Amino acid sequence: MSSTASSHTAATSPTPAKPAQKRVRRTAEEARRLILDAAEKRLATQGPEGIRLQDIARDVGISHPAILHHFESREGLVKALIARTNTQLREKLLAALSNADDPAQDPIESVFEALSDRGTARLLAWLLLTGRVTDTDRSPQMLMTEIADQLHAYREENASQNGAPAPDREDTFFLAMLTTSVAFGDAIIGRYLAEEAGLDEAGVKRFRNWFGKLLRQHVERTDTPAGDDEGK
Amino acid sequence: MSSTASSHTAATSPTPAKPAQKRVRRTAEEARRLILDAAEKRLATQGPEGIRLQDIARDVGISHPAILHHFESREGLVKALIARTNTQLREKLLAALSNADDPAQDPIESVFEALSDRGTARLLAWLLLTGRVTDTDRSPQMLMTEIADQLHAYREENASQNGAPAPDREDTFFLAMLTTSVAFGDAIIGRYLAEEAGLDEAGVKRFRNWFGKLLRQHVERTDTPAGDDEGK
DNA sequence: GGTTATACTTACATTGCTGTCAATATATGA
DNA sequence: TCATATATTGACAGCAATGTAAGTATAACC
């Protein structure tokens, strides 16, 4: 097929096949959003190698050069994806913490929930594995410090209400670090372990509750004057 | 350089340039080992995309078809690497648990140590991300069950010595799952968080001790008859 | 309604990597 | 010392994926 090299340059040719193709034209912002969504989904389901311009283009329903038009290169797409995910993660986590005053909402559990989202954890894992984290503006570790600070304020208030001495700052940081590591690890490997061990959805939930209780016991033990543990 | 296309097919040509190249010839086993080592290192330092036959071949000092000779394909190399790492991880973990009777050696800490090794965790992360775990004979989850069983026996003995009721089996499984997730998560993301938060080597060690203590407190609280916690 | 900016497309160039083939050198055993 | 097996190599085939160039269609603005 296609032997004549100049097929479309000769516009004056009598070929009536000009099909007047209908072409969808989105705003740049919208197009970028759709592309990033597709890339994120590919990454979550197929891993690092799942980000291929042609596949993503097919998912969105465009041609792959359109992607290159919006993001300079494949690398540009990846960076944009990282930036967006960072922002989303940040917003989710801070939102989760913002209603820490609400006694019905356990802040630790909220953090866990937000971080253990499948796509986010996988993206995070990938960018940590490939060492691509350094050059983003709002990297996760800043977030960590922020979270630790908020948690610490929460604990200090609690302790002062109970008449206990202020908790150690490092203890709070370790708490945050543990929660982050667990949530992350759980999202990547825990889900798999649970599945193989015959643990169903309810089992996973029980695990989370168990973990939350473990942390709560630690906090209560630390932030109350005596070894005064309330049963549940 | 090299313009004549048929340089080595014309053996009868009078060119004296036949350099009688010295060629290193290893045993198949040795060659496989070297190749796997190089592949493992590449993976650990550069992530998934670091496994390229040509690069690995250069590292070892051979040509890339030699790799294809020993492992059928790139996929074969990857599978072999997975199998070997699984075996190594398994041996390390079981060895760590085997001296659980030794009171100076905290089994939890040992497990943590064994799993948090950088290369192992990274490889594990990658094969979990790309979903390549299923078709290996001794997959990590079997290991998990085994570990949980050993830990449970350990706890049951402890509890009976203290005259406490036998601990819940699921509690032990959760304990193992938590330890695995933390060790894994710590190896991938925790190290990074610690670094950014200005936590040095000693700080990381403190975190591990802190975590170990947290678990120990839980176990003691559970496996002793009353709320009888011993200070340290 | 005409003009302009740009989102989008088709076709092609280029690069890089896996895998194949025939030839070669080296260890092992008779 | 010769024969055999096989570890190893260079050259090339083929493919897949990114990126480029030039042209086309659509929305917005006058």
Side-chain angles (χ1 to χ4, degrees):
Chain A
M1 330 71 181
S2 93
S3 50
T4 57
S6 60
S7 61
H8 67 284
T9 51
T12 50
S13 71
T15 56
K18 203 166 70 178
Q21 304 174 346
K22 274 206 175 168
R23 197 187 274 187
V24 185
R25 185 192 174 100
R26 285 153 281 252
T27 63
E29 194 187 19
E30 173 83 359
R32 285 174 61 96
R33 216 203 68 225
L34 289 177
I35 294 169
L36 286 176
D37 287 348
E40 186 174 324
K41 190 172 290 181
R42 282 270 173 188
L43 176 61
T45 55
Q46 302 186 343
E49 291 154 10
I51 297 192
R52 272 174 304 209
L53 298 188
Q54 312 216 13
D55 294 348
I56 295 172
R58 201 180 317 118
D59 291 345
V60 180
I62 60 178
S63 64
H64 85 269
I67 299 180
L68 291 172
H69 170 72
H70 289 289
F71 311 87
E72 294 279 291
S73 58
R74 183 200 129 107
E75 192 61 24
L77 169 64
V78 169
K79 283 189 179 170
L81 182 57
I82 289 175
R84 193 181 74 159
T85 304
N86 264 345
T87 304
Q88 286 177 347
L89 178 62
R90 178 189 188 78
E91 285 170 358
K92 245 193 285 183
L93 281 176
L94 292 185
L97 277 181
S98 70
N99 49 4
D101 321 322
D102 183 2
Q105 192 80 359
D106 182 10
I108 290 171
E109 177 72 14
S110 299
V111 170
F112 202 89
E113 280 284 338
L115 231 179
S116 73
D117 168 52
R118 190 172 175 79
T120 306
R122 286 174 74 93
L123 173 56
L124 211 53
W126 180 50
L127 64 93
L128 284 170
L129 279 177
T130 53
R132 229 182 278 251
V133 153
T134 36
D135 49 7
T136 38
D137 39 358
R138 296 181 168 176
S139 21
Q141 69 280 7
M142 274 309 171
L143 220 165
M144 269 297 293
T145 308
E146 210 161 330
I147 288 175
D149 284 347
Q150 289 216 21
L151 272 179
H152 198 63
Y154 179 76
R155 288 187 71 184
E156 277 179 332
E157 189 186 321
N158 240 15
S160 80
Q161 277 183 1
N162 292 338
D168 184 27
R169 197 169 214 98
E170 188 168 83
D171 186 81
T172 305
F173 182 76
F174 283 169
L175 217 55
M177 197 162 144
L178 174 65
T179 307
T180 309
S181 291
V182 176
F184 176 81
D186 181 75
I188 304 290
I189 198 178
R191 190 164 300 228
Y192 180 72
L193 295 178
E195 192 174 302
E196 276 299 327
L199 218 62
D200 54 354
E201 200 59 33
V204 173
K205 208 155 195 167
R206 280 204 304 280
F207 173 67
R208 292 192 183 183
N209 287 338
W210 177 88
F211 176 65
K213 187 176 165 189
L214 182 72
L215 292 191
R216 239 175 289 125
Q217 283 181 343
H218 170 76
V219 170
E220 282 167 7
R221 169 178 295 217
T222 309
D223 297 353
T224 44
D228 177 34
D229 53 274
E230 345 167 339
K232 197 237 158 107
Chain B
M1 338 62 183
S2 92
S3 51
T4 57
S6 60
S7 61
H8 67 282
T9 51
T12 50
S13 69
T15 55
K18 201 166 73 180
Q21 303 174 348
K22 274 204 174 168
R23 198 186 272 186
V24 185
R25 184 193 173 101
R26 286 154 280 253
T27 63
E29 194 186 18
E30 174 82 358
R32 285 174 62 95
R33 217 203 68 224
L34 289 176
I35 294 169
L36 286 176
D37 286 348
E40 186 173 326
K41 190 172 291 183
R42 281 270 173 190
L43 176 61
T45 55
Q46 302 186 342
E49 291 155 10
I51 296 191
R52 273 172 303 206
L53 298 189
Q54 313 213 8
D55 293 348
I56 294 173
R58 200 181 316 120
D59 291 346
V60 180
I62 59 178
S63 64
H64 85 270
I67 299 180
L68 291 171
H69 170 72
H70 289 289
F71 312 87
E72 294 278 291
S73 59
R74 184 199 128 107
E75 191 60 26
L77 169 63
V78 169
K79 282 189 179 169
L81 182 57
I82 289 174
R84 194 180 73 158
T85 304
N86 264 346
T87 305
Q88 286 177 348
L89 179 62
R90 179 189 187 80
E91 284 170 0
K92 247 192 285 183
L93 281 175
L94 292 186
L97 278 181
S98 69
N99 50 4
D101 320 324
D102 183 2
Q105 193 79 1
D106 182 9
I108 289 171
E109 177 73 12
S110 300
V111 170
F112 202 88
E113 280 285 337
L115 231 180
S116 74
D117 168 52
R118 190 171 174 78
T120 306
R122 286 174 73 93
L123 173 56
L124 210 54
W126 179 49
L127 64 92
L128 283 170
L129 279 178
T130 54
R132 231 182 278 252
V133 153
T134 35
D135 48 10
T136 38
D137 37 359
R138 294 179 170 177
S139 21
Q141 68 281 6
M142 272 309 172
L143 221 165
M144 268 298 293
T145 308
E146 209 161 329
I147 288 175
D149 284 347
Q150 288 215 21
L151 272 179
H152 198 63
Y154 179 75
R155 289 187 71 183
E156 275 179 332
E157 189 186 322
N158 239 15
S160 80
Q161 278 183 0
N162 291 337
D168 185 26
R169 197 169 214 95
E170 188 169 83
D171 186 81
T172 304
F173 183 76
F174 283 170
L175 217 54
M177 195 162 147
L178 175 65
T179 306
T180 308
S181 291
V182 175
F184 177 81
D186 181 75
I188 303 289
I189 198 178
R191 190 164 301 225
Y192 181 73
L193 295 178
E195 192 174 302
E196 277 297 327
L199 219 62
D200 54 353
E201 201 58 34
V204 172
K205 206 155 196 169
R206 281 204 304 279
F207 173 67
R208 292 193 184 182
N209 286 338
W210 177 87
F211 176 63
K213 187 176 164 190
L214 182 72
L215 292 192
R216 238 174 290 125
Q217 283 181 343
H218 170 75
V219 170
E220 283 167 6
R221 170 179 293 219
T222 311
D223 297 351
T224 44
D228 178 34
D229 53 271
E230 346 168 339
K232 193 229 154 102

